[in-house]
Amino acid sequence: MTPDPMLAAAAALLIGDERITDASGGAYEHVFPGTGTVNATIPLAGAEEIDAAVRSASAAQREWAALSPGRRHDLLRALARAVEADAETLARLNVHDYAVPIAMSPGQGAMLVRFLDYYAGWVDKATGEIAPVAGSHDINMIQREPYGVVGVIVPWNGPLVGIAMAVAPALAAGNAVVIKPPELAPLAPVRFGELCRTAGLPAGLVNVVPGGPAAGEALVRHPGVGKIHFTGSGATARKIAVAAADGLKPLSFELGGKSANIVFADADLDRAAGIAAFMGPLTQSGQSCACGSRILVERSIYPEFQERLVHAVRNASIGDPFDPSTQMGPVISQSAADRILGVIKEAVSQGTGRLITGGNRVGGPLADGYFIEPTVFADVPNDSPLARIETFGPVVSVMPFDTEDEAVAIANDTEYGLVAYAHTSDFARAHRMVRRLQAGSVWINTFSDIQPSGPYGGYKRSGYGRLGGIEGLHEFTQVKNARITFDG
Ligand code: NAD
């Protein structure tokens, strides 16, 4: 594959107005998962660069806060236009990062634009409150203020999505940010940092410091950081909670899931099968937090639905992520491929359900990349590891149910609660599903489509805090009450 000229430009750290290519965290040979070959050498942040980034953010935040709301609004809109104009480069870098198919990649840049435009709109509209004080004519004047510097730690699966959802509201609320992408997917985030500069945002308002766990921990522990927003796994979230405990630092977490996708017999079955395949093994090869990895099907349509699902999955084109016709690419790394194939092998050897399609690594011209066939198991017990542990690969479980109560009980019988899907043509049942499913987002007859006006986040171990809507703006503010007396 011909190296993309944008790769070298994006292999850097952005701190203040500096572009750093030699950093104290060392260098990382970044591998393109589609071919298993190195496509860039990434400088990694260590504690030194994290400290420099936080200092630069802190200085820029004072400058940002001193601007009028109108000016901040205009600059965020200018950033949205810069992202829009750069859509093609951002999309390609996103593919180089983690091999998301190019057909899907532009959607993430578009999401970034939507979040920037939406939150730019809040800059001059967010208001406070006046509350009376009992027994006097004093008033409580309640307002929201930024934390100062916010650390935004994003995962490799959709770093631009994580940036859209957290950075746009954090900036709109008046904060500066230090974005820490992982070494596995740093390229598109760095390009976004460059766009922040060209759009005219104060230097240092958005710093981008790719790095591994040590850099993340340094950011969490830095006393100059007022708040951490983290998107990633529950295991890392627990470490972050421990590290943040020292400074009693506020946290918000967007974590994983083991989401149920319930298909009732009265649903539009073709549409439901398409969504089950798309939001199951196909989207990002199942490496999506919103993966509907447990597909619950009403018994009267159970065999028929399996056929439709297998048909949809087998018809998906797997291949070169840069080919516009590709619907499913590889998984992120050799070790992820080994782990996922191990999960499949274990399920087969334990007799956990019936493997009805997939289960193998893809060979032929794709053998050097980390491609795994979309894999479906039927008759999976909900108490099996396959149904309980987030596989984070193209593997889904199908299970039957007889009644609505049973479907809800199975769906909610998980430690996670990020999203839930239900397919039905019964209006009243749709409303019951919204009420009864324990998840931060319930999608009825549709797929997971995160929009800036809809708060997104998890119940239970899928996290806390919400991104999107006014809740997303509030996530990056702290409340101040000023009492003003008129006595004496
Ligand atoms: P991860 O937890 O391994 O890493 C996430 C980020 O944390 C990376 O930037 C990593 O470098 C950093 N990190 C690692 N150790 C750290 C430490 N000790 N201190 C601070 N930072 C540290 O997750 P991942 O494999 O990159 O992403 C996959 C997970 O993310 C899945 O569980 C997925 O469901 C979840 N996810 C959730 C959402 C959501 O919106 N809820 C979105 C995308 C991904």
Side-chain angles (χ1 to χ4, degrees), residues 110-120 163-166 168-169 450-454 467-469:
M111 185 174 173
L112 189 47
V113 171
R114 281 198 300 276
F115 270 76
L116 285 165
D117 276 331
Y118 175 85
Y119 279 109
I163 288 173
M165 293 173 73
I450 301 172
Q451 294 293 327
S453 59
L467 298 183

Side-chain angles (χ1 to χ4, degrees), residues 153-158 165 180-184 211-218 220 230-237 239-240 253-257 288-290 390 392 418 450 456 462:
I153 301 177
V154 293
W156 55 263
N157 70 318
M165 293 173 73
K180 198 217 68 69
E183 66 278 49
L184 291 167
E217 185 174 343
V220 173
F230 169 76
T231 308
S233 65
T236 304
K239 291 183 193 159
I240 289 177
F253 284 157
E254 295 278 346
L255 309 178
S288 152
C289 58
E390 187 183 37
F392 225 55
L418 190 62
I450 301 172
Y456 186 80
S462 290

Side-chain angles (χ1 to χ4, degrees), residues 259-264 275 279-280 288-294 411 419-423 433 437 439 441-449 456:
S259 301
N261 185 352
I262 307 174
V263 184
F264 290 98
I275 290 174
M279 286 316 308
S288 152
C289 58
C291 178
S293 51
R294 294 183 300 139
V419 310
Y421 306 83
H423 301 269
M433 288 300 107
L437 291 171
S441 297
V442 177
W443 306 96
I444 303 289
N445 296 333
T446 189
F447 58 95
S448 177
D449 176 25
Y456 186 80

Side-chain angles (χ1 to χ4, degrees), residues 258-462:
K258 194 75 190 176
S259 301
N261 185 352
I262 307 174
V263 184
F264 290 98
D266 61 12
D268 173 340
L269 296 188
D270 277 333
R271 181 178 165 82
I275 290 174
F278 178 67
M279 286 316 308
L282 300 184
T283 293
Q284 300 195 147
S285 310
Q287 304 166 117
S288 152
C289 58
C291 178
S293 51
R294 294 183 300 139
I295 302 168
L296 281 49
V297 182
E298 193 161 356
R299 200 175 299 274
S300 60
I301 54 156
Y302 189 60
E304 179 193 347
F305 190 79
Q306 285 175 52
E307 274 171 34
R308 289 181 200 233
L309 177 63
V310 166
H311 178 76
V313 159
R314 286 200 185 138
N315 270 359
S317 69
I318 306 174
D320 175 7
F322 282 101
D323 179 337
S325 67
T326 293
Q327 291 168 295
M328 187 181 136
V331 299
I332 185 67
S333 63
Q334 177 67 52
S335 62
D338 291 344
R339 181 183 53 74
I340 296 158
L341 290 167
V343 169
I344 295 170
K345 200 170 158 200
E346 174 82 2
V348 169
S349 71
Q350 299 287 313
T352 308
R354 248 178 333 113
L355 181 63
I356 56 172
T357 189
N360 302 302
R361 186 148 178 174
V362 180
L366 299 178
D368 291 337
Y370 313 129
F371 293 85
I372 296 178
E373 292 170 346
T375 300
V376 182
F377 284 89
D379 311 340
V380 176
N382 197 47
D383 59 359
S384 63
L386 194 57
R388 302 202 90 77
I389 300 168
E390 187 183 37
T391 311
F392 225 55
V395 184
V396 294
S397 304
V398 185
M399 43 190 92
F401 67 85
D402 289 301
T403 64
E404 187 180 306
D405 283 351
E406 190 190 358
V408 169
I410 297 172
N412 290 340
D413 180 18
T414 167
E415 63 182 24
Y416 294 107
L418 190 62
V419 310
Y421 306 83
H423 301 269
T424 178
S425 57
D426 180 335
F427 190 70
R429 174 185 274 154
H431 280 276
R432 285 197 300 276
M433 288 300 107
V434 171
R435 202 168 59 239
R436 299 182 71 189
L437 291 171
Q438 296 165 352
S441 297
V442 177
W443 306 96
I444 303 289
N445 296 333
T446 189
F447 58 95
S448 177
D449 176 25
I450 301 172
Q451 294 293 327
S453 59
Y456 186 80
Y459 278 24
K460 302 194 270 185
R461 292 196 189 183
S462 290

